[in-house]
Structure formats: structure tokens, C-alpha cells
Amino acid sequence: MKTKIILLTIFALGVQMLSGATEKTAARKPLVQIAILLDTSNSMDGLIEQAKGQLWKICNEFIKARQNGVAPEVQVALYEYGKSSLSQESGWIRRIQPLTTDLDKISEELFALRTNGGDEFCGWVIKQAVSELEWSPRPDVYKVIFIAGNEPFTQGPVNYVESCKAAISKGIIVNTIHCGPEAEGISTKWKDGATIADGKFLVIDQNRAVVSIEAPQDKEIARLGEELNKTYVAFGVAGKAGAERQKGQDANVAALAPASGAVVQRAVAKASANYQNSNWDLVDAAKEENFDVSKLKTEELPAEMRKLNVTEREVFIEKNATKREELQKKIQQLNADRDKYVAQHRKKTADTLDTAVISAVREQSAKRNLVFK
């Protein structure tokens, strides 16, 4: 009897340990965390315009990344600093969004940004981003701050040296993007800030229009991106707002200059795992481990699902999931062909926000075992 009890105890412990190991493995999905700190003083209208159009291209870079064969989750945070309409007590700094996978929300906030004169305190905004965002403690996570502006990096009561040291002590790289001449960025300590935090000193012309190479696949990719919206099934209190935000960001991107290529990049992003809306879309929500459609109240469902029984609800969701997967695969294949076309026709141009960020991302994330296809 004692032997049986001992064996059962050992078996139970083994199951518990195996379960814990499985949970730990599941929890270690590759992760990328990016905080974007934008100077929104008067002279930075061009920078904001670049950010609006190139957010999707930057995030799309991680579609090609793998860590131990698994694609990473991408979280983005957004700050603005240097605008006089913000409070002086806060250092003219505002956290617009914490680290989030809701890329539509980040895009919406970017399009809402307006510039206004003020004091640009780089050390302060870096310190704030380092201290208040929920950075992962894992050493295999690519954690990075991109701060862009044009005034001296030394401005303000918070020492940039201490802020950059605090960042890298947590494994957070700081890349500085000086909007102006390289020599000026060096003399005003933008390069020094990057050096302290193992980052790159990047120089861009914030007033340069971003020009994308037009490819034969662009029109069809854009059309399929619009078709994807029809596969989303809004539910719950966040459903209506989420669906409207999705359409709104399609419209915002479409209103940008066609030469920016932003419409295509957004469609490609929507065809990837990085575009995830489980808080308002039933198709994405159904992929979550603890999701149970039978537990949803009738009033939480869209009108076309309210008279369906549980089995019919599941079929309805699966039908939209299958359609979405088909559209995403078509976009991904077209984009692969597009990449080949662009590679053959690419010309050397001056750095803009997207090229500067992507060059840094590829080099630095390799140190976190992220491999780009």
C-alpha cells in the first residue's frame, strides 16, 4: 500500500513538473518591445508625417524574423515630447500608448498628433519610458527605444547620461535619430546618448518625402487588404470601436501620398500574426486558449450571430477564419513577389525614418537570436 502511495505521489509530481515546464515554454514566446519617442515641437511636422506612413513598414520587418523558429510578438509604445501645450510639470512629455499589440491604436494616435513649440527634454522622456513601461525582464527579448528630434540632447533637468545608463542596465537599447546634419547631431550629444546605451546614432532628413518603389503587385495587395476587413466579427463592448478604428486607419493611410507605399505596407501587416485584435474580433479571440463562445451573452454578439446556437456560432467563426487565412496567404505570396521586384529596382536614397529604424533593428535583434529570412 505504501509503495502504491509513493508511486502515485511521484507520478503526480511528475505531471505537475511537466505541466509547469509546458506553461513555461508557452510563456516564452519570442517578444519584441519598441518604444517610439517623437519630438512634436514646431519643426517636426515632417517627422510625424514619416512616422504615420512608415509604422507598418517597420512592424512588417518582424514578419520575416524568427527566434528558434518562432515568429515574435511585437509590442509598440508611443510618446511625444517637446510640445508647449503639454504640462510643464511633466516635462512637456506625454505617454500616448503603453506597450501594446494594438497597432491600429498606435496608428490612430500618430494621425492625431499635432506639433507645437516647446522645450525638448530627451533625458527626461527616456527616463520616463524606461521606468514606467512594462519591459520584459527576459534576456532574449529585443527591447529598444527610438528617440527622434533635432534640439540638443542635453536639454532639461534630467541628465541624459543617467537615463541612457538606466536603460541599458535593463537591457533596453537606445537608438537616437537626429533630424538634421550629422555634425550637429554629434556636437549636440545625440551620438553620445546612443553610444552609452549600446544603440546607433542615426541621421535623417525629416522633411524628405518617403518614396516607395511602385510594384505590379501593389493594387491587388491593397484590394485584398480591404477584403480582409470583411472577415472581422466585432463583439462585446470594444467591438464597434475596434471595427471603426480599423476602417479609420485604412482611410488615414489611403489619404497619404500614394508614393509612400503605406497602403501596401498596412495590408501586409494585416496579413501577419502581428496584427492581432482578440479584444474585439471573434476570429482572433477564438484562438485564445481560454476562449469559449458559449459563455458570451447574446447582446455581446453581432446581429447576424444572435439567433445561432453554440455549434452554429463556432461554424460561423471558423468560416471567417478560413476566409481570412486564404486572403492572408494570397497577400503574403504577392508580397514575396513584390520584395523580389523591389530588390531588383531599388535605388540608393537618403535615409528616412523607416530605413534608419530597419537598419538598426536588423543588426541589434540578431544579438537576441532573431534571424531574418
Side-chain angles (χ1 to χ4, degrees):
M1 184 65 179
K2 288 183 179 180
T3 302
K4 185 176 181 180
I5 292 173
I6 291 171
L7 288 172
L8 287 172
T9 302
I10 292 172
F11 175 76
L13 285 170
V15 170
Q16 186 176 11
M17 289 173 67
L18 181 60
S19 175
T22 302
E23 289 175 5
K24 186 175 181 180
T25 301
R28 292 190 69 84
K29 180 180 179 180
L31 179 63
V32 170
Q33 295 180 311
I34 304 171
I36 302 172
L37 285 44
L38 297 177
D39 177 352
T40 51
S41 62
N42 270 338
S43 56
M44 291 291 106
D45 290 290
L47 173 68
I48 306 307
E49 285 305 303
Q50 288 191 23
K52 290 176 185 177
Q54 300 308 307
L55 166 70
W56 304 102
K57 185 175 181 181
I58 292 167
C59 291
N60 285 348
E61 196 64 18
F62 291 100
I63 296 174
K64 310 166 190 174
R66 297 291 183 273
Q67 189 182 75
N68 299 321
V70 181
E73 175 183 296
V74 178
Q75 298 176 355
V76 181
L78 184 62
Y79 283 77
E80 64 170 327
Y81 72 101
K83 187 160 68 179
S84 58
S85 58
L86 302 174
S87 76
Q88 183 176 355
E89 291 74 20
S90 70
W92 291 282
I93 295 165
R94 180 170 73 103
R95 185 183 75 178
I96 301 171
Q97 278 292 304
L99 287 164
T100 178
T101 57
D102 190 344
L103 298 181
D104 277 349
K105 185 61 178 173
I106 295 290
S107 178
E108 180 181 58
E109 295 289 1
L110 278 173
F111 276 89
L113 283 179
R114 299 293 180 269
T115 57
N116 198 301
D119 294 311
E120 295 93 287
F121 296 162
C122 295
W124 195 334
V125 71
I126 292 171
K127 178 182 179 181
Q128 198 156 318
V130 169
S131 63
E132 70 181 12
L133 292 177
E134 293 186 10
W135 298 100
S136 170
R138 287 165 39 191
D140 63 339
V141 174
Y142 177 44
K143 296 172 285 188
V144 63
I145 288 172
F146 285 94
I147 178 169
N150 67 343
E151 291 296 322
F153 210 67
T154 54
Q155 282 189 10
V158 178
N159 190 322
Y160 78 90
V161 173
E162 297 304 318
S163 297
C164 291
K165 285 181 178 178
I168 200 60
S169 71
K170 290 186 175 183
I172 305 165
I173 295 168
V174 178
N175 293 311
T176 62
I177 304 174
H178 182 252
C179 303
E182 181 177 4
E184 182 182 297
I186 293 172
S187 66
T188 54
K189 301 300 182 181
W190 283 80
K191 184 176 182 180
D192 192 44
T195 301
I196 292 169
D198 289 353
K200 292 191 72 173
F201 166 57
L202 306 164
V203 178
I204 69 168
D205 178 356
Q206 77 272 21
N207 295 316
R208 183 182 181 86
V210 177
V211 179
S212 174
I213 296 172
E214 187 176 349
Q217 298 81 11
D218 288 358
K219 185 176 290 188
E220 181 64 4
I221 290 174
R223 187 189 71 79
L224 293 173
E226 292 179 3
E227 286 294 309
L228 274 176
N229 288 11
K230 299 175 184 178
T231 69
Y232 281 80
V233 185
F235 78 103
V237 293
K240 183 179 179 181
E244 288 179 352
R245 182 178 297 118
Q246 182 184 63
K247 293 177 182 177
Q249 295 323 297
D250 282 352
N252 278 338
V253 168
L256 295 172
S260 71
V263 170
V264 171
Q265 294 300 331
R266 175 165 167 78
V268 172
K270 286 162 68 176
S272 77
N274 291 336
Y275 188 76
Q276 201 276 127
N277 297 283
S278 58
N279 62 318
W280 66 267
D281 166 52
L282 276 175
V283 175
D284 280 345
K287 299 173 186 176
E288 301 291 320
E289 185 177 351
N290 297 320
F291 177 79
D292 186 348
V293 71
S294 67
K295 293 182 179 179
L296 292 177
K297 298 177 182 177
T298 301
E299 57 268 27
E300 292 181 291
L301 296 170
E304 61 268 33
M305 290 184 67
R306 291 183 179 178
K307 293 183 179 181
L308 304 180
N309 60 37
V310 174
T311 301
E312 290 170 335
R313 291 179 186 180
E314 292 173 345
V315 170
F316 185 91
I317 294 170
E318 184 59 34
K319 180 181 178 181
N320 281 278
T322 300
K323 180 63 176 176
R324 185 181 303 176
E325 187 176 345
E326 291 172 356
L327 290 169
Q328 288 176 327
K329 285 181 178 178
K330 288 179 181 178
I331 292 174
Q332 289 164 6
Q333 181 56 57
L334 284 166
N335 190 53
D337 295 337
R338 184 184 190 278
D339 282 346
K340 294 175 184 176
Y341 180 90
V342 169
Q344 292 171 353
H345 294 78
R346 181 177 286 118
K347 296 178 182 178
K348 180 63 179 175
T349 59
D351 276 347
T352 47
L353 183 65
D354 60 321
T355 57
V357 170
I358 289 170
S359 68
V361 158
R362 281 192 168 246
E363 180 181 324
Q364 294 164 355
S365 56
K367 298 175 182 177
R368 300 293 187 270
N369 198 28
L370 278 165
V371 179
F372 288 83
K373 295 190 293 182

